[in-house]
Every structure is written in structure tokens, then in C-alpha cells.
Amino acid sequence: MHKMILAALALTLPALAHAAEPEDVAAARIGFYKLVGLEMGALGAMAQGEAPYDADRAKALAADLKVLSEYQHDDLLMPGTSNTELAGKTRALPAIWAQPDDYRAKGMAFGEAVAALNEVAGDGHKAMAPAVGKVGATCKACHDDYRAKDF
Ligand code: HEC
């Protein structure tokens, strides 16, 4: 039985172990940010009163956002995956690779705002709403410089 599994692994691993294609990296990156957008969308709805405030749900959403903000996503920034090379497949601007330190700093600011949100997410609507707003400002700051208006 084990031998069969090993044989199957030996057959599949080489197929998986090739360098990532630029298109796949861009798609993974978009997927990553879509997850960020999903959690933030739910938090934003709660912050703006479109959804009822629920302390446990707010804490869970903030915690998921924290996991995402801690994801070390250098692999998603493979060179050759900007919207110059992959027109129509990504909104990532070449400026990301021209100013990697600033891009990273914008990512750090996002991470700090998310950490601060986690401190107060369960403390009532009045405490969480401004913290969600501060996270949103860090999304916008990065998008303004590094995300194209369209694909
Ligand atoms: C450090 C920079 C940075 C931060 C911070 C950031 N984003 Fe983005 N985001 C990007 C880039 C770059 C893309 C484009 C990725 C691509 O197309 O390859 C993107 C794409 C997205 C997408 C994918 C779908 C689309 O239409 O492009 C969503 C949704 C999104 N971001 C939401 C958010 C939200 C919400 C936040 C904050 C909670 C956030 N992002 C924080 C840089 C950032």
C-alpha cells in the first residue's frame, strides 16, 4: 500500500516541482488580495452599519485579516508579472518592482493597522469602526500607487 502511494508521489511530484508560470503567480496574487477584500468587505459593512455589529464575528474577521497581513508574500511579487508583461491579466503596476521598499512599507502600514484593529474589534461598534477605517486607508494608499485602475 505504502509502496503504491510512494510510486504515485514519484510520478506526480516532478510535475508539480517546476518553476511557477508568471500567469499563475499573477492569478495567485489576485486570489490573495481577493481574500483580503472579502474579509475587509464584511468588516466595512459592519463598520458602516450595513450589517449588524457582532463582536464575535468582528473578531473572527479581524483575525483572518491578520493572518493574511502576516503572509510573507514575496513569492507573489515574482519579477515579470506586472501589467506591462501580462497585459489584461493583472492590475499590478511596474512601480512595485521599481520601488520595492516603499511597496513593503505600505504593506507594513497595512499590517500595523490590522494589528490595531484586532485589539478593538470585539470592543463594540464605536471602537471597531474607526479602526476599520484606518485599515481601509492603508488599502487605498497602496492601490493609489501600485494598482492600475483596470486590468
Ligand atoms: C501593499 C499594497 C496593497 C495593500 C496594503 C492592499 N492591496 Fe489590494 N491590491 C494590491 C495590488 C498590487 C493589487 C493588484 C494585484 C494584481 O492584479 O496582480 C491588489 C488587488 C486587490 C484586489 C483584487 C481584485 C482587483 O479588482 O484588483 C482586491 C479585492 C483588493 N486588492 C482589496 C484590498 C483591500 C480591501 C485592502 C485592505 C484591507 C488591500 N487590498 C490592501 C495592493 C495592495
Side-chain angles (χ1 to χ4, degrees):
M1 185 62 190
H2 280 140
K3 269 195 188 145
M4 270 176 65
I5 293 171
L6 282 178
L9 267 180
L11 283 175
T12 40
L13 271 182
L16 293 172
H18 63 76
E21 297 292 336
E23 284 86 356
D24 294 341
V25 172
R29 183 171 60 220
I30 292 167
F32 168 79
Y33 281 118
K34 279 188 175 170
L35 277 176
V36 170
L38 191 77
E39 309 298 343
M40 184 61 181
L43 280 162
M46 219 183 262
Q48 284 165 15
E50 291 158 16
Y53 175 77
D54 173 328
D56 287 338
R57 172 124 173 93
K59 277 197 279 190
L61 289 165
D64 278 347
L65 209 51
K66 187 152 186 287
V67 169
L68 293 171
S69 75
E70 286 167 352
Y71 176 75
Q72 208 285 96
H73 69 272
D74 282 0
D75 289 343
L76 299 183
L77 301 177
M78 184 171 108
T81 62
S82 80
N83 70 344
T84 304
E85 293 98 351
L86 299 174
K89 296 202 166 107
T90 170
R91 293 167 76 183
L93 291 171
I96 295 172
W97 291 269
Q99 300 149 42
D101 292 346
D102 184 60
Y103 189 80
R104 216 160 277 138
K106 296 235 161 36
M108 297 284 284
F110 163 65
E112 282 160 20
V114 169
L117 168 65
N118 272 264
E119 299 288 317
V120 298
D123 298 348
H125 183 265
K126 232 177 142 180
M128 70 83 82
V132 171
K134 284 187 185 151
V135 173
T138 68
C139 316
K140 185 176 184 308
C142 190
H143 292 166
D144 283 351
D145 290 346
Y146 297 109
R147 188 176 72 162
K149 298 263 169 288
D150 276 306
F151 279 92

